[in-house]
């Protein structure tokens, strides 16, 4: 392939967009870098659950104020808020 700086720059920006949008959020909200699950499929299963939870928090129907980390902690302690996130209310 012929070198194309514009195409290469676009690919790099897209990669870092994913890094900033997903991986950084997972690390901040769930301390993902400290995860030590290593048996069988535990790491993959936990990563799937964390991404699902992150998406639920981003699509919060109540538009509650606060960071994703704060909303995760509230959902952890409030049955009512957790029901709202899951669409049960």
């Amino acid at each position: 392939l012929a070198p194309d700086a514009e195409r290469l720059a676009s690919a790099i920006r897209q990669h870092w967009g994913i890094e900033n949008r997903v991986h950084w959020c997972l690390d901040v909200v769930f301390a993902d870098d400290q995860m030590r699950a290593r048996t069988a499929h535990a790491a993959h299963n936990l990563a799937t659950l964390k991404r699902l939870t992150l998406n639920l928090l981003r699509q919060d129907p109540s538009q509650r104020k606060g960071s994703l980390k704060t909303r995760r902690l509230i959902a952890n302690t409030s049955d009512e808020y957790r029901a709202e996130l899951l669409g049960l209310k």
Side-chain angles (χ1 to χ4, degrees):
L1 294 173
D4 183 2
E6 197 170 306
R7 189 171 168 193
L8 184 60
S10 174
I12 291 170
R13 278 193 297 277
Q14 287 175 356
H15 167 76
W16 283 107
I18 292 169
E19 176 68 29
N20 292 335
R21 178 105 172 113
V22 178
H23 301 296
W24 183 82
C25 287
L26 286 171
D27 188 33
V28 169
V29 175
F30 297 102
D32 206 42
D33 286 346
Q34 280 73 41
M35 185 176 75
R36 298 293 178 238
R38 293 192 175 99
T39 56
H41 300 286
H44 185 267
N45 293 338
L46 286 171
T48 301
L49 289 172
K50 288 176 183 180
R51 284 184 177 87
L52 175 73
T53 305
L54 185 63
N55 286 327
L56 285 171
L57 290 171
R58 284 188 174 148
Q59 296 174 2
D60 182 2
S62 68
Q63 297 300 316
R64 182 182 294 262
K65 291 192 182 218
S67 67
L68 290 171
K69 188 172 186 175
T70 301
R71 288 187 274 162
R72 179 188 65 89
L73 294 173
I74 293 169
N76 189 36
T77 58
S78 170
D79 292 335
E80 185 176 312
Y81 181 54
R82 193 168 41 250
E84 285 178 32
L85 287 174
L86 295 171
L88 301 174
K89 237 181 165 185

